[in-house]
Amino acid sequence: MEHQRRSQARLSPSSDTEDMVMLLAPRLAYFAGVARTEHVTRAAQEMQVPQSTLSRAMVRLEQDLGVDLFARHGRTVSLTPAGRTFLASVERALAEIERAADEVRADADPATGKVAFGFLHTMGAETVPGLLHTFRADHPRVRFSLVQNYGEAMIERLRSGELDLCLTSPVPDAPDLVARRLDEQKLRLVVPADHRLASRKRIRLAEAADETFVTLEPGYGLRRITDDLCQEAGFKPRIAFEGEEAETLRGLVAAGLGVALLPPPAVPRPGVAELTVTAPRAAREIGVAWLADRPDTPPVAAFKKFLLSRRGNLLP
């Protein structure tokens, strides 16, 4: 047929795949309904659409594909071999769409939905478990997808939609984000237990100018804070080791490989002494961030409200 030749030309291998999907997708459920009942009138009644709408949709679908999907016998139809092949794929596609719809509805459910929550490694041992325990006292069935990472990586995952909220430091300042300061965490100068400064309780950071430092890698918030504090104290730190996790750095200090500016540990670690830094003021702000203008599901809104209520009382 002439219309088939025109459709085949339009949907040739060089045609854009996205264009084809846009042509076919609205008619797939109609096609599956007609194929299931093998009767246009009955399918129209089941799907609650006018019979004429359904008939036109099937004709257009065949035209767009350039093949006959049905053999017609009055108002009764039967699938052609091409129709049977097409139906198998359509049913898989519709089942996947239904599964995806069920999943997103479940994630948005106020009582049992999901929150994708990111946080710094240093908050994983004690702070975050305590927060989740308290929150779930009132929301016992809300589910969490938890991600531990450094600050910049979590911000990128916020922007990509992989995270709903994150606890990070420094508190980000970007036009596409909303961020709120929640608390601050004092940093200590951690030295080996047999170090010349280990007997001290307090220290000015300038007194460590000649020490070898172990730090997190560039890009980590704590590394940026370390560099800034040392600069404020009048020196550039001499760095021997760079790592990805604060407790690993504490282990390097215990092994005598350097000193480090670190937040307090969840539990005391043997082999090190932790000194209060009196000057400059050594602390890092902890904040919560989310993407601006993104609507919250009910469970995300509830957890966000809970975190904001913990201002000044976030850390153990």
Side-chain angles (χ1 to χ4, degrees):
M1 292 182 192
E2 181 62 23
H3 76 266
Q4 289 180 325
R5 287 195 293 271
R6 288 197 300 269
S7 296
Q8 288 168 341
R10 185 168 68 249
L11 296 177
S12 63
S14 62
S15 298
D16 186 88
T17 301
E18 185 175 339
D19 288 344
M20 181 182 286
V21 170
M22 292 177 67
L23 282 170
L24 302 182
R27 305 185 187 105
L28 298 184
Y30 286 170
F31 166 73
V34 174
R36 183 175 61 251
T37 62
E38 295 188 329
H39 197 285
V40 176
T41 303
R42 193 153 55 243
Q45 291 171 344
E46 288 185 3
M47 288 186 284
Q48 298 182 334
V49 297
Q51 179 180 321
S52 58
T53 299
L54 195 56
S55 297
R56 284 196 300 270
M58 292 304 94
V59 171
R60 286 296 303 277
L61 179 61
E62 290 177 313
Q63 290 175 349
D64 290 336
L65 287 172
V67 297
D68 293 324
L69 300 174
F70 297 103
R72 290 167 173 80
H73 319 281
R75 293 184 179 180
T76 301
V77 297
S78 60
L79 287 170
T80 64
R84 285 194 293 273
T85 298
F86 191 55
L87 177 63
S89 295
V90 167
E91 287 180 331
R92 288 195 297 271
L94 293 176
E96 181 63 18
I97 291 170
E98 184 176 0
R99 183 203 64 76
D102 289 342
E103 181 176 329
V104 297
R105 281 195 294 263
D107 287 349
D109 184 275
T112 62
K114 185 173 73 174
V115 179
F117 181 44
F119 52 92
L120 301 168
H121 289 284
T122 52
M123 310 192 84
E126 190 171 355
T127 300
V128 168
L131 289 172
L132 298 183
H133 176 77
T134 302
F135 176 75
R136 294 194 80 200
D138 294 323
H139 303 83
R141 294 191 293 160
V142 168
R143 296 168 292 125
F144 283 84
S145 173
L146 302 176
V147 173
Q148 291 178 267
N149 216 320
Y150 65 98
E152 290 185 7
M154 286 194 294
I155 296 304
E156 289 309 307
R157 295 182 79 161
L158 273 181
R159 289 181 170 131
S160 70
E162 297 175 64
L163 291 177
D164 298 309
L165 303 164
C166 69
L167 290 180
T168 188
S169 177
V171 180
D173 181 14
D176 62 332
L177 299 176
V178 179
R180 298 288 184 267
R181 181 186 183 277
L182 296 179
D183 214 335
E184 72 169 24
Q185 193 172 43
K186 296 291 180 63
L187 301 179
R188 301 169 177 173
L189 184 68
V190 184
V191 303
D194 58 357
H195 191 274
R196 63 180 180 84
L197 298 172
S199 61
R200 300 272 297 274
K201 297 297 183 183
R202 301 175 182 275
I203 189 171
R204 290 178 296 105
L205 189 56
E207 297 178 72
D210 295 331
E211 299 293 332
T212 297
F213 279 72
V214 296
T215 72
L216 296 179
E217 293 178 350
Y220 283 71
L222 186 56
R223 169 61 180 273
R224 188 158 64 251
I225 293 169
T226 295
D227 290 345
D228 290 346
L229 287 172
C230 290
Q231 182 180 10
E232 189 176 348
F235 69 96
K236 182 177 180 179
R238 186 171 70 252
I239 296 171
F241 295 92
E242 296 176 332
E244 297 181 344
E245 206 277 320
E247 286 310 300
T248 300
L249 298 186
R250 203 171 249 105
L252 294 174
V253 172
L257 299 175
V259 303
L261 280 169
L262 296 174
V267 294
R269 178 165 188 146
V272 300
E274 308 215 1
L275 316 181
T276 299
V277 178
T278 59
R281 188 172 183 275
R284 65 172 181 173
E285 291 186 336
I286 305 295
V288 59
W290 61 88
L291 200 61
D293 302 323
R294 178 184 293 168
D296 291 333
T297 63
V300 171
F303 190 58
K304 180 188 295 184
K305 181 179 179 181
F306 166 77
L307 289 177
L308 293 174
S309 75
R310 305 284 295 187
R311 285 177 177 168
N313 191 33
L314 180 76
L315 303 172

